[in-house]
Amino acid sequence: MSLLLLHPVKHYLTARPRLLIAVGAGILAYFFLPASFSTLMRLTIAWNVLAWLYLFFLWWLMMRAQEEDIRHIARIQDESASTVLSLVSVTCLVSILVILLELSTVKHLSGTSKVMHLVLTGTTLIGSWALLPTAFAMHYAHLFYRTRAQPELALLFPNDLRKPRYWDFLYFSFTIGVASQTADVAIGSSDVRRIALLQSVLSFIFNLVILGLSINVCAGLLS
């Protein structure tokens, strides 16, 4: 039993140290914040620390990785790819609930305190929204290089691109997040269609919430 428990821990330490560092930083932020802060504010700040730190790690990795690096990352992270993507999706959706609860407290504040809460809410929303397509881009890269030897490629890039880098997957993922379409990149497998459908639905929810919150915040500032 102990060996079964140690295996996933060892795997995450080897394959996803950046995620563990970000989670650890978020937990430390929650417990080291002043006790005078409300639980909701401490959770919001802790989520910001986790999300923005993990975003920094992922983008730093993506900007520097070559094709061989992507293949290696896809291979070592394959075992936990779906689990991590599911966790990121769920926590991003939960962050929406935290944002709604945070905005409900803003109505009773004024001055600098109100501005600080609005800024915190904004950074939470932006961080959560950016984390979602970034995580999906990583997953698309894993699917592409994991199934590359198969007859059908997971994604079909223009000009018959066979060695896409993370920029190409980020382009595909953020196009879905922003415009709810796949632009000039075609989907070549059912697995990617399912993932793209999930991302489209989650992105629609996020964009709808952003629109609604923007109207709500503007109305609150003008009132």
Side-chain angles (χ1 to χ4, degrees):
M1 178 65 72
S2 59
L3 292 177
L4 292 175
L5 292 175
L6 286 174
H7 174 69
V9 175
K10 182 179 179 181
H11 171 74
Y12 277 91
L13 285 173
T14 304
R16 298 186 181 271
R18 300 169 188 83
L19 176 60
L20 292 182
I21 292 173
V23 171
I27 294 173
L28 288 175
Y30 176 83
F31 286 105
F32 278 93
L33 285 169
S36 58
F37 286 10
S38 66
T39 301
L40 181 60
M41 176 173 279
R42 292 165 70 185
L43 283 172
T44 307
I45 296 175
W47 168 252
N48 271 273
V49 171
L50 188 161
W52 285 104
L53 185 58
Y54 192 44
L55 271 172
F56 172 78
F57 285 149
L58 289 182
W59 277 82
W60 180 261
L61 172 67
M62 288 177 169
M63 296 305 98
R64 295 162 58 89
Q66 301 297 323
E67 183 247 345
E68 295 80 8
D69 301 321
I70 303 175
R71 292 174 60 185
H72 174 69
I73 294 169
R75 185 170 62 254
I76 65 173
Q77 293 187 353
D78 180 62
E79 183 178 340
S80 59
S82 298
T83 302
V84 171
L85 184 64
S86 300
L87 288 173
V88 169
S89 300
V90 170
T91 51
C92 284
L93 287 175
V94 171
S95 72
I96 293 179
L97 177 60
V98 173
I99 290 168
L100 293 174
L101 292 174
E102 182 69 22
L103 281 178
S104 66
T105 64
V106 172
K107 298 177 181 179
H108 308 289
L109 302 174
S110 61
T112 305
S113 181
K114 184 174 184 178
V115 172
M116 289 181 61
H117 275 74
L118 288 175
V119 170
L120 182 60
T121 301
T123 57
T124 305
L125 188 60
I126 295 171
S128 299
W129 184 90
L131 184 58
L132 201 61
T134 301
F136 272 93
M138 291 286 292
H139 197 62
Y140 291 132
H142 294 167
L143 290 174
F144 182 91
Y145 282 99
R146 189 181 67 190
T147 60
R148 188 173 168 182
Q150 298 179 6
E152 294 183 351
L153 292 176
L155 290 171
L156 307 175
F157 291 92
N159 302 320
D160 197 26
L161 180 64
R162 294 284 172 163
K163 296 181 179 180
R165 296 176 61 179
Y166 277 124
W167 268 117
D168 301 293
F169 297 107
L170 286 168
Y171 165 75
F172 175 76
S173 184
F174 272 83
T175 300
I176 294 178
V178 173
S180 298
Q181 62 179 1
T182 57
D184 56 350
V185 181
I187 297 176
S189 72
S190 297
D191 288 341
V192 179
R193 287 189 185 93
R194 286 193 289 268
I195 300 300
L197 175 61
L198 174 61
Q199 186 191 354
S200 298
V201 173
L202 293 176
S203 298
F204 175 78
I205 294 173
F206 254 97
N207 294 338
L208 196 64
V209 169
I210 290 172
L211 178 61
L213 291 179
S214 299
I215 296 174
N216 183 278
V217 170
C218 291
L221 290 175
L222 294 175
S223 61

